[in-house]
Amino acid sequence: MYSSILTGALFGIEASLVHVEVDISTGLPGFSMVGSLGSEVREARERVQVALKNADFDIPPKKITINLAPANLKKDGTGFDVPIAIGILQTLGYFKEEATRDILFVGELGLDGEIRPVSGILPIVREAALRGIGTCIIPWDNRMEGGVIPGTRVRGVRSICQLTAFLQETDTDRQEELLPSQPCTTRELLGQEGHGPGSDFSEIKGQEVARRAAEIAAAGFHNLLMSGPPGGGKSMIARAMAGILPPMTWQESIEVTTIYSVSGMLDPENPLILRRPFQSPHHTISAAALIGGGVRARPGAISLAHRGVLFLDELTEFPRTILECLRQPLEDRQVNIARAQGNCVYPADFMLVCAMNPCRCGYFPDKNRCRCSEGDLAKYWGRLSGPLLDRMDMYVETSRIELEKLQSIRQGECSARIRQRVVEARAMQEERFRGKKYSFNGDMEAADLERYCELGRQEKKLMELAYRRLELSARTYHRILKVARTIADLGHSERIREEHLGEALAYRLTLGAWKKPGSGNSGG
C-alpha cells in the first residue's frame, strides 16, 4: 500500500515542493522516516502517531515507511505533520487517492489532533500557485496569510478530523461547507496602509539641516549618518522617517511579507505588510541576529529591514566586527549565508540610518563642555572604518537646540507634507527606472550613472574640482551624483545643476574631515 502527498519545504525564503511518500506493509511493526530530515521533522513521528490515536483513527501494527522527496533537500520545521498524517490515512484506505490529487497540505499537529499554524506559509502557497496547484489546505490561523496569494484556492482547517471529513466527502457543495475557501484579500489589504509608526516631523524643533537631509534620504533611499550632542533629536528624526517613506509597491510588499512569514513574525490579522519596515537593534546584537544565520538559518535584522530603514543608534557602541559585517550587504543588497547543506540568500536592500555623538563625551566642538583631545577624537572615530564611512551617502551634524525654538509653540512642517514631496520624487524615479531591477536613485548601478546623472559643462568642472580637492574615492563620487539626482528630483528638475551638486557635496565635506590617519581609513 502506497500513497504520495504534496507539501512544501523552505530553504531560506524560497519554497520547494516536496512529495511525502508513504508505504505500509506487513512485517515487523515500525515507523521509519527518511529524506534528509531536521530534528523537528524527525519528531513528527511521535506527534502524528499520538494525534491519530487520540482522534480515534485505527492504525494497525504494520511497517510504516515514509520518504520525503527529493531526499537531497534538507527539511526543517513542523509543517510536515499534516501531509504525513494524510498520507498514512490515505494508504490505509480512509479516502480515495483522487481526494488528495492537486492539493498541497501544510500544518503542525497537536497531540489532540488540532492543526496548528506554522511559519513560512506565504512562500509555500506562492510556489504552489506558480506550479499550478489547484488547492492549498493550510492551518486555520494561517488562512489570511495564504489568501494574499492569488492563483490557487486556499482552505483553512482546524483539526485532522475536519480535514478527513472534507477528503471523504464527494459532494462539492458539502466540501465548501466543511472547509470554506479563503477569498483572496489582496485588494482589501492594499487599501489599509494607514500611517507609519514613529514621531511626526511637526514635533521636532529646529534641526532644519537634518530634516532636509532626512527628506532627501527618504526620497532616494540613501544612507544617512547623523552626529551631534545628546538630546538634540537625532533618534527622533530617524524614527520620524518611517512616516515620510513612499508607499511600497505590490512586489516590494510581497518580498517583505515573505521574509516576515519565514521568520514567524507576521500578524495573523494583518498578513500583508504594507508599510516599509523600521528595525532598530540594540548595540549588543550578535552578528547572526544582525546579518542572519544561526544553527537554523533565519533572516537577520538587515533582512527584516528590507525595503525599509535599519536604524543604528549610538553607532560607535556597536562592536567594530559587527559593523564590518554590513559592508558587503550595503553593496550587494543581499546577504549569502553559507551552510554545509547549501547557501541561503536573503534580500537586504535597506536604507541605513545611523546616529552617534561627535566624541566620547558627546559635546565636541563645544570647548566649554568638551574635554576630548585630538587623540581622543581620532580614537573615537577610529571605531568606524573608512570603508564603512565611505558607504554613507550623507552626513549631517545636529546642534544643541536653541531655547527660543524649544519653547516656540509654532510647529514645523508635518510629515504628511514632506511625504507628498517624497512620493512625487519617487514617481519620477519609477518612470526613469521602468524595466530596471531597481527603482530608487540610491540603488542606481554605476553603469547607468552616465545616462541618468548627465552633467553639463559647469557641473563637470565642479565635480572635477571636488574630486581632486577632497580626494574622493570612486564610490563616494558616484554616491554624490546619486544624492544630487534625488535633490534634483525633489526640485522637479530634469537635469542635475550646480546647486544640486553643491548641496550633495555639503553632505560629504564634514565627514571627509574626520578621515584622518589613525582613524581607521583603510581597506576597501
Side-chain angles (χ1 to χ4, degrees):
M1 295 182 289
Y2 168 85
S3 66
S4 179
I5 303 298
L6 191 63
T7 187
L10 292 173
F11 195 72
I13 64 168
E14 301 296 327
S16 298
L17 297 187
V18 171
H19 292 272
V20 178
E21 302 174 327
V22 180
D23 180 82
I24 300 179
S25 60
T26 58
L28 190 65
F31 195 125
S32 59
M33 296 177 58
V34 295
S36 189
L37 313 178
S39 59
E40 291 176 341
V41 185
R42 288 194 296 269
E43 292 169 353
R45 177 176 55 188
E46 283 72 26
R47 287 194 298 270
V48 169
Q49 289 185 103
V50 176
L52 292 179
K53 175 182 71 69
N54 289 337
D56 294 328
F57 291 105
D58 183 25
I59 308 299
K62 292 188 176 183
K63 182 180 180 181
I64 301 175
T65 304
I66 296 173
N67 176 46
L68 274 59
N72 64 336
L73 180 67
K74 181 72 173 179
K75 290 90 177 176
D76 285 303
T78 59
F80 297 95
D81 293 6
V82 169
I84 290 172
I86 292 301
I88 292 173
L89 294 177
Q90 180 175 284
T91 307
L92 292 174
Y94 278 89
F95 36 81
K96 296 180 180 180
E97 181 180 346
E98 291 77 12
T100 60
R101 188 171 297 163
D102 198 32
I103 299 178
L104 180 141
F105 299 85
V106 183
E108 176 186 340
L109 273 178
L111 297 185
D112 59 352
E114 177 191 8
I115 296 179
R116 295 172 177 169
V118 296
S119 58
I121 285 292
L122 190 143
I124 292 175
V125 174
R126 183 176 59 183
E127 181 66 17
L130 291 174
R131 296 294 189 92
I133 306 301
T135 301
C136 293
I137 296 182
I138 62 178
W140 177 261
D141 290 343
N142 291 128
R143 72 193 188 285
M144 294 287 288
E145 178 183 343
V148 169
I149 303 297
T152 185
R153 183 183 294 109
V154 174
R155 299 182 186 271
V157 62
R158 289 187 171 92
S159 69
I160 191 66
C161 293
Q162 183 187 21
L163 179 53
T164 304
F166 169 83
L167 295 173
Q168 289 174 337
E169 185 61 59
T170 57
D171 182 72
T172 305
D173 293 336
R174 178 59 181 158
Q175 281 186 329
E176 190 66 27
E177 291 179 11
L178 289 169
L179 290 186
S181 300
Q182 172 65 33
C184 184
T185 56
T186 300
R187 289 188 176 181
E188 292 80 0
L189 292 170
L190 285 175
Q192 300 175 2
E193 181 188 359
H195 299 286
S199 309
D200 192 282
F201 270 95
S202 62
E203 303 170 4
I204 300 171
K205 304 290 186 180
Q207 307 299 2
E208 286 78 8
V209 175
R211 289 164 59 98
R212 168 66 173 171
E215 178 180 340
I216 296 169
F221 223 66
H222 300 292
N223 299 327
L224 173 64
L225 172 61
M226 293 180 287
S227 172
K234 302 185 296 296
S235 300
M236 199 171 181
I237 292 172
R239 297 184 186 280
M241 289 181 70
I244 65 172
L245 291 171
M248 287 196 292
T249 63
W250 163 250
Q251 183 60 38
E252 288 175 331
S253 182
I254 288 295
E255 289 176 4
V256 174
T257 304
T258 298
I259 297 170
Y260 278 74
S261 173
V262 170
S263 303
M265 299 174 63
L266 274 185
D267 181 356
E269 300 303 321
N270 297 284
L272 184 63
I273 295 178
L274 299 169
R275 292 190 293 266
R276 296 189 180 274
F278 183 92
Q279 290 286 314
S280 180
H282 192 261
H283 60 77
T284 57
I285 191 172
S286 66
L290 180 65
I291 304 300
V295 177
R296 288 183 56 199
R298 285 290 182 269
I302 63 173
S303 294
L304 295 174
H306 179 63
R307 305 316 302 165
V309 176
L310 177 69
F311 176 46
L312 302 184
D313 201 3
E314 305 295 344
L315 182 64
T316 52
E317 297 301 317
F318 284 81
R320 180 162 174 165
T321 53
I322 298 293
L323 294 179
E324 293 303 292
C325 293
L326 293 172
R327 286 164 54 178
Q328 179 262 334
L330 283 171
E331 289 296 313
D332 298 343
R333 303 295 183 178
Q334 63 182 25
V335 59
N336 194 327
I337 306 297
R339 290 293 181 268
Q341 63 267 28
N343 292 351
C344 295
V345 178
Y346 295 125
D349 191 358
F350 57 92
M351 179 170 64
L352 180 62
V353 178
C354 304
M356 58 180 288
N357 295 328
C359 65
R360 185 178 60 187
C361 70
Y363 297 105
F364 182 84
D366 185 353
K367 294 301 181 182
N368 294 324
R369 307 180 71 182
C370 178
R371 295 293 181 267
C372 296
S373 64
E374 186 174 332
D376 292 332
L377 289 172
K379 184 177 179 181
Y380 179 79
W381 278 82
R383 300 177 186 178
L384 309 176
S385 70
L388 180 63
L389 292 176
D390 213 33
R391 286 166 169 82
M392 304 304 299
D393 299 320
M394 306 170 66
Y395 171 74
V396 293
E397 292 181 347
T398 61
S399 58
R400 183 168 173 263
I401 302 175
E402 299 175 0
L403 181 61
E404 292 78 7
K405 292 183 178 180
L406 194 62
Q407 292 180 336
S408 173
I409 60 173
R410 181 182 178 184
Q411 288 189 325
E413 191 175 26
C414 67
S415 293
R417 294 185 61 183
I418 299 174
R419 189 174 194 252
Q420 181 58 40
R421 293 196 296 269
V422 169
V423 169
E424 291 173 0
R426 160 72 165 162
M428 295 180 66
Q429 294 169 68
E430 279 187 335
E431 182 63 28
R432 178 182 300 128
F433 302 130
R434 190 177 301 276
K436 296 286 186 179
K437 61 182 180 181
Y438 54 85
S439 57
F440 279 102
N441 291 330
D443 298 334
M444 205 185 311
E445 296 177 349
D448 293 330
L449 284 173
E450 186 174 347
R451 175 183 176 185
Y452 297 122
C453 299
E454 184 180 357
L455 301 180
R457 182 181 302 175
Q458 293 301 117
E459 289 77 18
K460 285 183 178 179
K461 287 183 179 180
L462 175 60
M463 289 305 296
E464 288 173 5
L465 180 63
Y467 188 81
R468 294 189 176 95
R469 291 280 183 89
L470 302 178
E471 298 181 351
L472 302 177
S473 68
R475 181 190 290 120
T476 302
Y477 179 87
H478 291 160
R479 290 183 181 274
I480 290 172
L481 290 181
K482 295 176 186 179
V483 173
R485 177 67 269 173
T486 301
I487 296 171
D489 289 344
L490 286 169
H492 300 282
S493 174
E494 290 294 332
R495 296 185 59 85
I496 298 176
R497 306 193 183 280
E498 284 186 271
E499 58 267 27
H500 305 141
L501 289 171
E503 184 175 0
L505 283 166
Y507 296 122
R508 296 292 308 188
L509 290 174
T510 313
L511 181 59
W514 292 109
K515 298 167 69 173
K516 302 174 182 178
S519 65
N521 184 21
S522 60

